[in-house]
Amino acid sequence: MRVQPRKHQLVVNLLLDPDTVELEDGFTRDLRGTGCLGVRDGVELRLGSFDDLHRAADILQRSVAAA
């Protein structure tokens, strides 16, 4: 997880199969092949508001359940 204060975002990398997540530009990203912060073949979430957090609730719960 990392905080980007200039962009007012919290970025979370999750160990989830990107094929199981509906990717939305600027909100979720496929990390396959990037090796971003120790998460390989996962999903990146970009949270910039409470609405984003609510949208991400299901993805976050699935990531915790898969761990």
Side-chain angles (χ1 to χ4, degrees):
M1 180 179 345
R2 67 186 187 270
V3 177
Q4 295 181 327
R6 288 186 180 167
K7 294 183 180 182
H8 302 283
Q9 290 186 327
L10 177 66
V11 180
V12 183
N13 296 339
L14 305 171
L15 291 171
L16 277 178
D17 180 357
D19 292 331
T20 66
V21 176
E22 183 178 336
L23 300 176
E24 299 177 42
D25 191 39
F27 180 62
T28 51
R29 181 171 74 124
D30 183 344
L31 294 177
R32 282 184 278 215
T34 62
C36 193
L37 293 177
V39 174
R40 233 184 169 148
D41 303 335
V43 174
E44 176 184 274
L45 284 177
R46 291 187 167 269
L47 308 172
S49 68
F50 284 112
D51 289 335
D52 288 345
L53 183 60
H54 290 288
R55 285 175 41 198
D58 178 58
I59 299 169
L60 291 166
Q61 288 175 347
R62 287 193 293 143
S63 176
V64 169

